[in-house]
Amino acid sequence: MISRVTKHFFTVALFICTLLLVKQTKAAQTVNIAPSFYHSQVCVNGSMIVPLLITEGFDDTNLFFIEISNATGSFSNPTQIGIGYGNGIGGVTVTCTLPANITPGTGYRIRVRSKYPAYTSVPNPDNIRVSAYPSITVVQPDPVCMGSTISMSASTTAPNPSISWALPNGTTVPAGAAYTKLNSTYADSGTYYVTVTSYKCSSLDSARAIVLPQPVFTGWDTDSSVCEGEPFNIQAKCNVCSFPAHLIKYEWAYPPTGTSFNSFINLFSTTANNQGWYRVKITVGTGSKSCSAVDSFFGTIKRLPNKPTVTNNSPVCVDDILVLTANSTTAGATYAWEGPNGFTNTQKNISRPNITKNEEGEYTVYALMNGC
């Protein structure tokens, strides 16, 4: 016969065992990568957001370590890419960053490991592609003349690339590896940015296009004609003549055998041999990628009449007739006389009757031809 005291002891012991069993069941904390994790592609040194699925609260001092495998999915030597903090109540989302030296590959996976208590999840079921930023090789365009075609290209060794171009006016075009612009204008000059994207990883480079304006002559800064012995200056007017000196080149050829690389011709004392065509070539740019235009101006050098000879009947008495005679061997020459007291006359031969003492002095005559 069992006493009542002993029976009570068995009842208490059974209750204690039941409590211990219940407590052990509730202590099974688990954490995994949430099914909402969506990153299947990420770049070297790129970031991704990793949500965690936590089934039970962890210690307040707990840490959640996000680890990534190698390119084949092995966690034999995982790399930590992010840390979450806390007990997990209310959910945890971890921002992760891949290292810059990670090897690109297609078989990466991630998992989460907790510290308090220690727990390691199974890897996420989907592979993650880690891609390097694509390299870009840009072929810089040659300078072109206005109206010509701008051609530039970019290439990459990255797999499955897409290439787009951002034009100087801000427009973006998915032009592929090559971009061309027909009938270019001066406004097409500038920087063209090319973006190469491979599996969501993008790299940026640029090309510089120079559209050279075609020189156009707009006139001449010169006298239409000058007399022998006078200076003759000539300078072309054009749409590019105000450009800095290092961007524009002048090539002159003028009579009889003169050449110059200045922007103007300046003859200090002309001769009859300087009459003829003054030809100038204006070039913008250098080498085969330059724009040029040529124009000419006929410079007229008016010949001087031959020096006249003078005869006179001096000396004469007061009230006599003073006779002055001029002659030049240049046919068609006219004459201009100057003398004392403001005397002028345009006749070839002059007779001055009733000459006075006040009209005594030096008389000068000029032979004239076409204003010279």
Side-chain angles (χ1 to χ4, degrees), residues 87-267:
N87 55 26
I89 297 175
V92 174
T93 300
V94 183
T95 300
C96 300
T97 302
L98 272 61
N101 61 350
I102 193 170
T103 303
T106 59
Y108 284 94
R109 296 193 176 191
I110 61 171
R111 71 182 184 185
V112 56
R113 180 172 55 84
S114 64
K115 189 171 184 180
Y116 302 115
Y119 181 84
T120 301
S121 74
V122 297
N124 68 304
D126 299 320
N127 288 342
I128 299 173
R129 183 186 191 104
V130 176
S131 300
Y133 289 98
S135 62
I136 309 177
T137 300
V138 177
V139 178
Q140 296 289 333
D142 294 322
V144 298
C145 296
M146 189 179 299
S148 301
T149 299
I150 300 173
S151 297
M152 62 187 74
S153 63
S155 60
T156 180
T157 58
N160 194 31
S162 64
I163 301 177
S164 64
W165 297 81
L167 312 186
N169 62 8
T171 303
T172 299
V173 292
Y179 174 77
T180 57
K181 175 64 171 68
L182 303 176
N183 300 318
S184 61
T185 67
Y186 195 57
D188 294 316
S189 292
T191 301
Y192 290 70
Y193 292 97
V194 56
T195 300
V196 176
T197 302
S198 173
Y199 292 103
K200 295 187 177 181
C201 301
S202 299
S203 297
L204 181 69
D205 207 339
S206 64
R208 177 72 179 175
I210 299 175
V211 179
L212 303 172
Q214 183 66 41
V216 177
F217 288 88
T218 58
W220 301 90
D221 186 5
T222 183
D223 295 321
S224 59
S225 62
V226 297
C227 299
E228 278 186 283
E230 293 180 345
F232 180 69
N233 303 316
I234 182 171
Q235 185 170 12
K237 296 180 180 179
C238 68
N239 62 325
V240 297
C241 288
S242 61
F243 278 26
H246 69 281
L247 296 179
I248 187 169
K249 181 172 67 174
Y250 298 87
E251 298 174 83
W252 288 90
Y254 60 93
T257 58
T259 59
S260 176
F261 297 99
N262 293 323
S263 61
F264 59 90
I265 297 296
N266 187 0
L267 303 179

Side-chain angles (χ1 to χ4, degrees), residues 301-319:
I301 310 300
K302 297 182 291 186
R303 298 195 63 175
L304 293 174
N306 294 330
K307 184 179 179 178
T309 58
V310 177
T311 60
N312 63 83
N313 63 344
S314 176
V316 296
C317 297
V318 174
D319 292 332

